[in-house]
């Protein structure tokens, strides 16, 4: 057995905290594998989560299987970090295959890890800590306990903050970060963003909440003032016509109905926003447009066509954002209170280098073919990539 495998094998027990394998050798591939021990039906196994591009693959392995898989993965990756209660291992493999192995007896000081398959969830917002806005919004009691019937809302807030936490490296660090939340409604997530970024993380931020309902905006503005959130403000209006700022770093748009999502994305791209977080709702436009003789056996069922149109709409939105220079993911979100829509589009602006230009050309070609196949000309294309469209408003390539 190779020497490094012998060293790794010593740590494959219940005291392992985690193994992270990263830095793919394949150019442009974003990949990470994380391994942790769990007890499954009373037996110790090692659960591997393989984050590859925009998907996550899970598998449970015995110690021997885990060692074999690590060997396979290290043929494709360059770095391994192992953290154990009794020690640490760092391994690097050069392009020429040279292995550098560093070990330390300075292990993880934490108590033995919880090996249960369904470990208790660790939330970004501590459910035991009283937060004024959670109480006023009916999620927490005056004693600081989460209201049982509102626990789903509490989980939704934390899930959203996980998405925000992931994109923090993309935001500016040398100036105030401007965030615009369109369709903020009762602003559960708006207040949560402010509290997390400003109060917990100390980021210099300004958050603007927009909604069309004047009574809701008045209440939110009153609450913000009562908490002393001086860099959080609310206005009644539509994002398409909002001119209150010249630059926005992050645009959040949750449950914006139908084309409102497209106008919000257009505005975000126009501002040069570093990050876009969007949970679309009520995608009707494409349902009226899409048509193809080959798809008639499927499109003939109204319910199926409606659902497919909604999925096509969000996929096209994500691809148009890719075309405009964003790295885009479609992620599963927790259902909103008043809609079963649970797709979140997360887009992070990338550099305008040669690799991007090549990828942009490929994305444009694929989008053209898809739109021709569907005989569709969606709003997001008309707004952000008219040169790809099939309708009268289609222009020429940039």
């Amino acid at each position: 057995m190779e020497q490094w495998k012998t060293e790794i094998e010593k740590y494959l027990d219940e005291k392992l905290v985690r193994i992270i394998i990263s830095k793919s050798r394949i150019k442009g591939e974003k990949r990470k594998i994380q391994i942790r021990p769990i007890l499954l039906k009373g037996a110790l196994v090692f659960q591997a989560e393989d984050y590859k591009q925009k998907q996550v693959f899970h598998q449970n392995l015995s110690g021997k299987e885990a060692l074999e898989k690590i060997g396979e993965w290290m043929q494709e990756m360059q770095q391994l970090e192992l953290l154990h209660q009794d020690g640490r291992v760092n391994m690097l493999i050069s392009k020429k295959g040279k292995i550098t192995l560093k070990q330390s007896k300075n292990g993880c000081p934490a108590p033995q890890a919880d090996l249960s398959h369904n470990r208790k969830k660790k939330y970004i917002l501590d459910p035991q800590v009283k937060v004024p806005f959670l109480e006023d919004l009916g999620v927490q009691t005056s004693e600081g306990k989460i209201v049982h019937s509102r626990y789903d809302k509490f989980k939704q807030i934390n899930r959203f903050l996980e998405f925000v936490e992931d994109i923090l490296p993309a935001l500016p660090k040398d100036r105030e970060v401007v965030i615009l939340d369109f369709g903020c409604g009762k602003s559960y997530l708006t207040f949560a963003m402010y509290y997390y970024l400003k109060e917990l993380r100390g980021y210099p931020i300004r958050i603007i909440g927009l909604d069309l309902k004047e009574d809701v905006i008045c209440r939110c503005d009153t609450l913000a003032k009562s908490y002393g959130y001086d860099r959080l403000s609310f206005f009644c209006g539509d994002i398409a016509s909002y001119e209150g700022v010249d630059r926005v770093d992050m645009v959040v748009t949750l449950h914006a109905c139908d084309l409102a999502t497209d106008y919000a994305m257009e505005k975000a791209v126009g501002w040069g926003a570093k990050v876009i977080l969007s949970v679309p709702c009520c995608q009707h436009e494409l349902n009226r447009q899409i048509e193809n003789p080959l798809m008639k056996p499927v499109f003939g069922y109204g319910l199926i066509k409606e659902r497919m149109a909604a999925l096509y709409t969000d996929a096209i939105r994500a691809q148009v954002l890719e075309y405009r220079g964003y790295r885009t993911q479609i992620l599963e979100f927790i259902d909103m209170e008043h809609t079963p829509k649970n797709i979140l589009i997360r887009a992070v602006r990338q550099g305008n280098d040669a690799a991007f230009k090549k990828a942009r050309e490929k994305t444009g070609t694929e989008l053209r073919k898809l739109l021709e196949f569907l005989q569709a000309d969606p709003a997001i294309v008309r707004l952000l990539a008219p040169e790809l469209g099939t309708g009268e408003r289609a222009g020429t390539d940039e």
Side-chain angles (χ1 to χ4, degrees):
M1 183 184 292
E2 295 177 68
Q3 179 63 28
W4 70 265
K5 286 188 176 180
T6 302
E7 298 303 323
I8 297 295
E9 187 177 29
K10 294 190 304 186
Y11 294 107
L12 292 179
D13 58 26
E14 69 280 356
K15 296 170 72 177
L16 175 70
V17 177
R18 64 177 176 273
I19 297 174
I20 297 178
I21 301 171
S22 59
K23 293 190 177 179
S24 173
R25 298 175 186 274
I26 301 173
K27 188 176 180 181
E29 181 181 66
K30 297 182 183 298
R31 190 179 184 191
K32 180 178 75 173
I33 298 113
Q34 182 164 297
I35 303 168
R36 68 178 179 91
I38 64 170
L39 285 176
L40 194 61
K41 296 182 179 178
L44 178 67
V45 299
F46 297 88
Q47 185 177 84
E49 295 179 313
D50 189 352
Y51 298 83
K52 193 170 184 179
Q53 297 298 94
K54 301 177 183 179
Q55 294 179 293
V56 183
F57 302 92
H58 295 83
Q59 52 185 313
N60 296 322
L61 308 164
S62 66
K64 182 179 179 181
E65 291 170 336
L67 196 62
E68 290 176 357
K69 288 298 294 184
I70 291 171
E72 293 176 18
W73 285 322
M74 292 310 297
Q75 294 178 29
E76 305 170 14
M77 314 290 278
Q78 300 178 57
Q79 180 172 300
L80 179 147
E81 297 175 272
L82 181 151
L83 180 61
H84 188 276
Q85 290 182 40
D86 296 333
R88 300 167 186 257
V89 176
N90 284 277
M91 183 169 72
L92 292 173
I93 301 181
S94 70
K95 293 181 180 179
K96 295 183 179 180
K98 181 182 176 181
I99 297 176
T100 302
L101 193 68
K102 295 182 179 180
Q103 296 189 67
S104 168
K105 294 299 182 182
N106 182 23
C108 175
Q112 183 163 330
D114 178 3
L115 301 185
S116 61
H117 183 57
N118 296 311
R119 294 184 293 181
K120 186 177 180 180
K121 175 70 176 179
K122 290 184 178 179
Y123 294 108
I124 288 180
L125 298 183
D126 189 335
Q128 304 301 319
V129 175
K130 184 177 178 180
V131 183
F133 80 85
L134 288 179
E135 180 185 350
D136 286 331
L137 295 172
V139 176
Q140 205 171 42
T141 67
S142 57
E143 291 78 28
K145 303 294 183 182
I146 303 300
V147 177
H148 182 72
S149 62
R150 305 296 282 164
Y151 221 97
D152 283 346
K153 176 59 67 176
F154 179 73
K155 289 193 294 184
Q156 183 202 71
I157 290 170
N158 280 275
R159 178 63 173 149
F160 179 72
L161 292 180
E162 289 173 7
F163 291 133
V164 173
E165 185 178 52
D166 288 344
I167 55 81
L168 289 182
L171 297 177
K173 300 177 177 64
D174 56 349
R175 60 171 173 80
E176 185 177 65
V177 176
V178 180
I179 301 172
L180 192 144
D181 184 356
F182 170 60
C184 57
K186 294 180 180 178
S187 300
Y188 293 91
L189 303 182
T190 321
F191 282 111
M193 266 195 301
Y194 189 92
Y195 177 78
Y196 170 64
L197 293 173
K198 181 77 171 178
E199 305 294 314
L200 297 185
R201 298 296 298 269
Y203 273 74
I205 59 167
R206 177 189 176 194
I207 299 183
I208 301 162
L210 282 180
D211 201 279
L212 297 174
K213 298 177 182 177
E214 190 172 353
D215 57 332
V216 172
I217 288 297
C218 288
R219 171 169 166 72
C220 291
D221 199 48
T222 300
L223 288 176
K225 287 182 172 64
S226 71
Y227 307 143
Y229 292 176
D230 59 337
R231 303 304 291 165
L232 172 60
S233 51
F234 295 89
F235 301 96
C236 190
D238 190 323
I239 193 171
S241 58
Y242 182 71
E243 302 291 344
V245 289
D246 297 323
R247 181 192 67 232
V248 175
D249 298 297
M250 182 163 81
V251 171
V252 177
T253 167
L254 306 178
H255 57 261
C257 287
D258 205 12
L259 304 188
T261 293
D262 302 297
Y263 290 119
M265 289 180 174
E266 178 198 27
K267 201 78 172 182
V269 172
W271 276 319
K274 299 290 186 183
V275 177
I276 301 171
L277 298 178
S278 176
V279 177
C281 181
C282 310
Q283 303 96 322
H284 298 308
E285 184 192 36
L286 225 59
N287 189 33
R288 298 189 294 267
Q289 291 184 1
I290 56 175
E291 186 177 346
N292 187 295
L294 292 176
M295 298 294 289
K296 190 173 182 180
V298 178
F299 289 165
Y301 298 99
L303 180 61
I304 298 296
K305 183 184 178 185
E306 180 183 355
R307 292 183 179 179
M308 289 184 68
L311 294 173
Y312 277 131
T313 298
D314 290 336
I316 291 170
R317 284 166 170 160
Q319 284 294 290
V320 168
L321 291 176
E322 291 269 0
Y323 180 74
R324 291 302 302 258
Y326 288 80
R327 177 172 56 83
T328 310
Q329 297 169 289
I330 292 184
L331 306 166
E332 188 173 31
F333 192 35
I334 297 173
D335 295 356
M336 304 299 284
E337 206 171 34
H338 55 286
T339 172
K341 304 295 184 180
N342 66 340
I343 281 179
L344 182 138
I345 301 174
R346 181 170 68 191
V348 179
R349 194 169 186 82
Q350 303 299 292
N352 191 17
D353 56 12
F356 158 69
K357 291 177 181 177
K358 185 176 180 181
R360 183 179 192 266
E361 183 178 346
K362 180 183 177 184
T363 301
T365 299
E366 292 174 346
L367 266 172
R368 277 194 186 96
K369 291 179 180 179
L370 176 62
L371 296 171
E372 289 170 2
F373 178 80
L374 296 174
Q375 299 181 34
D377 186 35
I380 194 67
V381 173
R382 299 195 304 271
L383 294 169
L384 289 177
E387 65 275 14
L388 304 180
T390 60
E392 294 179 0
R393 295 179 62 180
T396 56
D397 287 349
E398 293 179 347

